[in-house]
């Protein structure tokens, strides 16, 4: 296949918004490697997924030794494994060889890698110190990782369902053309599910872009402006959000990716496993609370929108009904 230049490969393969660790420390390496792989090899995305798992097992073997030199080696191998883990999705998008099975395989292998690395890392520290606290830390890491990704998947499903129902209702009322598809069912900022090989979607506008657009022309009839919350009212939040989004970085600054990297890369390099792991768990829970809060706001906005549609439908029926029918409606 003809492989486009690197800037075009970046446009085709890199997510509109991603974790800051991926944007800053992985994409600069992974994207050129994906282009080289597509140009000079016949490697498939699934083969890269398997290679990422093998390296993850290698990192776990290093972690299990317990000594600092082995912890550093494990951290390096784990980061290389994560680079490969990001490459499989990029290669799938670039070559069009993505599949539902490949997405499933990648998701399962990610969880398996976290499981074996957590057990190996904390087991190695337990063997070295005989401190049972590390056994509990291993259980906590596995639990929080599972909780994060199950929650992300369910939130994505709920949001997707609400957007589709809202769009279908707007189409029924004639507010939008059913033949138009602007990709609004997928919000790259809110979608944090590990689905590899998915097509890119247009980025949602930043706050400043929304303001500029609003001053130029009114919003479509089916769009309900989001209500301000205590988060958006915080001083400096909107400029920070716009800055991060302009650099492809999600507002969700501590997600499952940063959680893993803190425990399996930062902590081993510092030769301090306990406190970085505790801090990572606390930060992950704090950001998960914010994610759930945003979902609560989204569901309330959805209910207001659907109620508004019901009122609009009643008004339309009232306008088109005859006198006797109007009396019946009243």
């Amino acid at each position: 296949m003809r492989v486009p230049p690197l800037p075009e490969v970046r446009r085709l393969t890199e997510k509109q918004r991603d974790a800051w660790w991926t944007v800053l420390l992985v994409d600069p390496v992974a994207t050129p490697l994906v282009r080289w792989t597509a140009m000079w090899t016949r490697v498939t995305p699934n083969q890269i997924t398997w290679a990422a798992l093998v390296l993850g097992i290698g990192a776990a073997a290093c972690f299990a030794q317990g000594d600092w030199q082995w912890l550093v080696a494990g951290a390096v191998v784990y980061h290389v494994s994560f680079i490969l883990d990001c490459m499989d999705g990029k290669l799938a998008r670039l070559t069009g060889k993505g599949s539902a099975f490949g997405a499933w395989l990648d998701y399962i292998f990610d969880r398996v890698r976290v499981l074996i690395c957590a057990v190996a890392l904390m087991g190695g520290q337990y063997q070295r110190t005989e401190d049972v606290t590390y056994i509990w830390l291993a259980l906590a890491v596995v639990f929080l990782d599972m909780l994060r990704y199950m929650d992300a998947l369910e939130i994505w499903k709920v949001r997707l369902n609400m957007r589709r129902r809202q769009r279908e209702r707007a189409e029924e009322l004639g507010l939008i053309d059913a033949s138009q598809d602007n990709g609004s069912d997928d919000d790259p900022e809110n979608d944090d599910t590990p689905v590899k090989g998915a097509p890119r979607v247009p980025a949602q506008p930043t706050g400043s872009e929304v303001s500029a657009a609003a001053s130029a022309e009114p919003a479509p009839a089916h769009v309900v402006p989001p209500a301000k919350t205590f988060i958006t009212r915080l001083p400096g939040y909107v400029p920070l959000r716009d800055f991060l989004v302009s650099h492809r970085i999600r507002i969700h600054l501590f997600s499952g990716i940063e959680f893993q990297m803190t425990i399996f890369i930062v902590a081993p390099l510092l030769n301090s496993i306990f406190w970085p792991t505790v801090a990572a768990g606390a930060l992950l829970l704090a950001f998960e609370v914010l994610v759930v809060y945003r979902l609560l706001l989204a569901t309330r906005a959805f209910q207001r929108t659907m109620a508004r549609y019901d009122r609009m439908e009643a008004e339309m029926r009232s306008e088109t009904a005859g006198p006797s029918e109007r009396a019946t409606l009243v």
Side-chain angles (χ1 to χ4, degrees), residues 154-294:
E154 289 304 314
I155 287 177
W156 179 78
K157 289 179 180 178
V158 171
R159 285 184 174 274
L160 184 63
N161 181 57
M162 289 192 299
R163 292 189 191 106
R164 285 177 174 169
R165 287 177 59 189
Q166 182 174 322
R167 182 176 180 82
E168 289 171 358
R169 196 79 172 92
E171 291 173 355
E172 291 173 0
L173 296 174
L175 299 177
I176 58 176
D177 187 351
S179 63
Q180 295 177 353
D181 183 8
N182 57 9
S184 59
D185 285 345
D186 300 293
D187 183 348
E189 179 179 1
N190 296 320
D191 180 9
D192 195 30
T193 53
V195 179
K196 300 299 179 71
R200 286 169 56 92
V201 295
Q204 300 298 310
T206 63
S208 57
E209 291 170 343
V210 169
S211 300
S215 62
E217 57 180 324
H222 70 288
V223 174
V224 177
K228 287 188 176 182
T229 66
F230 80 92
I231 297 177
T232 56
R233 289 193 180 102
L234 291 176
Y237 171 81
V238 172
L240 173 63
R241 179 194 63 190
D242 292 351
F243 173 79
L244 293 175
V245 169
S246 67
H247 289 79
R248 299 197 304 111
I249 298 175
R250 284 194 308 245
I251 304 301
H252 192 175
L253 291 177
F254 205 89
S255 64
I257 292 175
E258 288 79 18
F259 176 70
Q260 293 179 35
M261 302 308 139
T262 301
I263 296 171
F264 300 126
I265 295 180
V266 176
L269 291 178
L270 295 177
N271 196 23
S272 175
I273 305 301
F274 179 79
W275 287 113
T277 301
V278 171
L283 284 171
L284 183 68
L285 287 175
F287 272 87
E288 284 306 295
V289 169
L290 289 178
V291 169
V292 173
Y293 172 70
R294 289 179 61 190

Side-chain angles (χ1 to χ4, degrees), residues 73-84:
V76 172
V77 175
Y78 191 91
H79 188 61
V80 175
S81 172
F82 185 70
I83 290 176
L84 291 179

